[in-house]
Amino acid sequence: GAGVSQSPSNKVTEKGKDVELRCDPISGHTALYWYRQSLGQGLEFLIYFQGNSAPDKSGLPSDRFSAERTGGSVSTLTIQRTQQEDSAVYLCASSSQRANTQYFGPGTRLTVL
Amino acid sequence: KQEVTQIPAALSVPEGENLVLNCSFTDSAIYNLQWFRQDPGKGLTSLLLIQSSQREQTSGRLNASLDKSSGRSTLYIAASQPGDSATYLCAVRPQGGSEKLVFGKGTKLTVNP
């Protein structure tokens, strides 16, 4: 079956612009996660959705970052007024229920010039 | 705060060798531990998930062990092959209600033909 998909695969933007990153989870998966992988850093948790609500937003690095999920499916991560330090690979994952494996998408590579 | 450390950061071995990757975590209050594989430019592939009540999991040539009380896990790869070359990531899911995973920075494995 189809896995987690993310778009775009690559995004190059200028400092100060807003960007939107999209994640399509595996059909039927109620939990959705966003992570960020920066050069030289490990994967950092950003936000977790259960259905359309986000019980854990503790990893969002600043108020320039926001995310939403609609219809219990697609999620969008928005970064406003991008900065060079936002350059990273943004990974999305989904899982079917608590304690189960998280399945990851291929990621979106964001480059802020 | 949970921290995950992986040693070594990089490992190069000849084909056919058995090898062990190490993962340690600072807080033993975990729900589960997961090993992932990441190929360059790609997302993560789940290899093995060990629940906190389990001691080990096996899949093919891979065996992962968990010693929760000492905060350690190992991933054993038998009869390594060039196709095993990738970065291996260890992640724990802390207890306490959050669904997030806390990742180590990974071990980059190269298996030479």
Side-chain angles (χ1 to χ4, degrees), chain A residues 101-113:
Chain A
T101 300
Q102 293 187 17
Y103 294 90
F104 281 76
T108 293
R109 181 175 296 278
L110 175 66
T111 303
V112 182
L113 301 177

Side-chain angles (χ1 to χ4, degrees), chain B residues 43-78:
Chain B
L44 278 64
T45 301
S46 177
L47 298 173
L48 291 164
L49 182 148
I50 311 177
Q51 302 293 350
S52 62
S53 59
Q54 298 175 322
R55 298 284 292 184
E56 66 177 344
Q57 283 286 335
T58 299
S59 176
R61 294 183 294 109
L62 305 180
N63 176 277
S65 68
L66 173 64
D67 184 341
K68 198 174 73 162
S69 61
S70 68
R72 295 177 189 272
S73 176
T74 61
L75 179 67
Y76 174 83
I77 303 177

Side-chain angles (χ1 to χ4, degrees), chain A residues 35-55:
Chain A
Y35 294 87
R36 177 170 74 172
Q37 188 172 33
S38 306
L39 197 63
Q41 303 290 325
L43 269 124
E44 303 172 276
F45 167 79
L46 297 178
I47 187 170
Y48 152 63
F49 287 92
Q50 182 63 243
N52 290 336
S53 63

Side-chain angles (χ1 to χ4, degrees), chain A residues 46-86:
Chain A
L46 297 178
I47 187 170
Y48 152 63
F49 287 92
Q50 182 63 243
N52 290 336
S53 63
D56 189 350
K57 307 178 184 179
S58 63
L60 294 177
S62 76
D63 59 7
R64 296 186 296 104
F65 287 72
S66 63
E68 65 174 11
R69 189 179 185 194
T70 55
S73 181
V74 172
S75 176
T76 302
L77 177 69
T78 301
I79 309 173
Q80 296 178 310
R81 304 181 303 281
T82 52
Q83 304 294 313
Q84 288 183 333
E85 61 262 29
D86 299 334

